[in-house]
Amino acid sequence: MDEKRSRQVIIAGAGVAGLTAALAFAERGYAVQVYEQAQRLEAVGAGLQLSPNATRILRQLGVLDRLLPAAVRPEAVVLKDARTLRQLARVPLGQAGESRWGAPYLVAHRADLQSALMARVAEMPDIRLTLGGRVEKIATGSHGVTATVVIGGKTAEEQGSLLVGADGVWSLVRALVDSKRMASPRSRFSGELAWRATVAADSSAGPAFAAIGAVDCVTTFLHPGFHMVAYPVSKGDAFNLVAFTKGERIADGWSGHADPSILAAAMRGTAPGLVKLVELAGPWLTWPLHTVEQTQPWTTSNGIVLIGDAAHAMTPFAAQGAAMAIEDAAMLANIMADFPTDPMESLRIWENLRRPRIAKVARRGAVNRLAWHAAGPVAVARNLFLTMRPSGKLAADLDWLYGWQQQKIIRR
Ligand SMILES: Cc1cc2nc3c(=O)[nH]c(=O)nc-3n(C[C@H](O)[C@H](O)[C@H](O)COP(=O)(O)OP(=O)(O)OC[C@H]3O[C@@H](n4cnc5c(N)ncnc54)[C@H](O)[C@@H]3O)c2cc1C
């Protein structure tokens, strides 16, 4: 493979994972071609919590300054009992969190993050982004990787040394990578629905939101039948609400409409202020939560790698899916650039380092889900534990997650 092609990276997907990977590789001197199947990058999704492990990387890649004008720095993460609205725990964020973890904890609209990433991508001459380009086939050989891409009904081929599958939970690259090894490399419906609504601060739901005391914090309301996370976005001009219940699979795809009586039934016994907010806050969109089994490979020995949701979509109960995509992307580019003489070994090192971290974060999400939906004596014990634990200790419990930084890797 010639010198130029050995530093050519092809990325399928321009979500958080793909755009971050494009920036990280371009920063390390690679030429990057990103293909995104959508004709336009639209404002898909709703709010995102971006913890310091992610914002530290966004700062290194020159994205943070572009995001800050639209984002909010919440004062704390707060847990409340949904029946009484009583505060159970408070982890200080704001300046205290930034000093502790070395980068800010932010909440933002997903579209604001995407715009900030795009603005930075536009400044990088070594990144080419093709919208309306769907990666459909991949071939590998001594020349490296060849992606067959369909653009406006026409087929084109792109060659590079590495193909990064950043094509999300319904990844085609995953199916291509794994079709021989796995009976079903598809994602799996988790049995949970996310209910999302965005409330304008000056709408009739704005005062109802203020009344539940969540305007400057990330607040999670706990209940056996559901939990709800509430926080400000868009510089405080709007509020993001996301509730989680059990539910039926709707279809493959991000969002749709479901029967709001499911949410109402799950909220039985909830404080009237929260019920009123949910009534005023509609329309609610539902998102079926899909996960990807972590048993399947993320890399191949011939230059294909999966990152972000394509590799390991997880339930959002630790609010870390986008953060893990950002960590994946930055670490991949760093390891590939630090050890350019054996790229396939670099891919293996990356996968071996990422797996335990991703598994631990996914486990944390599962524990959160169990604890937040606890009932009866278990809920009483949980509330006692949370109210007794000093906020400094609660913050220290999160050091492994929010304080994460890539370690220097020494290869012998
Ligand atoms: C309810 C909910 C709340 C969440 N809250 C948080 C949170 O607070 N914090 C957090 O960190 N994470 C959160 N997440 C998770 C986070 O949204 C995802 O983990 C993250 O967006 C994944 O990014 P991605 O780039 O891997 O995938 P995606 O965002 O899905 O991007 C994939 C892209 O690839 C494109 N594509 C697909 N196939 C092809 C192809 N063949 N060729 C070219 N392009 C293709 C798609 O069009 C898409 O643009 C939440 C998720 C949900 C569902």
Side-chain angles (χ1 to χ4, degrees), residues 303-374:
I304 304 174
V305 53
L306 298 170
I307 64 170
D309 276 10
H312 46 65
M314 54 181 75
T315 52
F317 306 134
Q320 285 291 316
M324 290 304 106
I326 290 168
E327 287 186 8
D328 281 353
M331 196 170 176
L332 178 65
N334 285 336
I335 294 179
M336 296 295 289
D338 285 346
F339 305 105
T341 49
D342 190 352
M344 300 315 141
E345 176 64 7
S346 298
L347 286 183
R348 271 191 296 277
I349 291 173
W350 172 84
E351 180 167 351
N352 288 340
L353 289 170
R354 289 308 290 157
R355 279 201 180 271
R357 168 88 174 152
I358 297 291
K360 191 171 177 185
V361 172
R363 275 199 304 277
R364 173 70 191 220
V367 169
N368 283 351
R369 163 73 180 71
L370 264 181
W372 294 344
H373 291 228

Side-chain angles (χ1 to χ4, degrees), residues 69-127:
V72 178
R73 290 175 193 242
E75 286 302 316
V77 165
V78 174
L79 297 179
K80 287 188 175 181
D81 188 325
R83 294 173 193 271
T84 59
L85 301 188
R86 182 170 77 103
Q87 179 174 300
L88 302 172
R90 184 181 174 92
V91 181
L93 298 177
Q95 199 47 54
E98 189 162 347
S99 306
R100 179 173 197 107
W101 295 303
Y105 195 111
L106 300 179
V107 284
H109 198 286
R110 186 177 180 276
D112 294 326
L113 173 59
Q114 202 151 12
S115 300
L117 288 163
M118 285 293 285
R120 185 69 182 128
V121 162
E123 291 174 349
M124 305 291 280
D126 287 336
I127 303 177

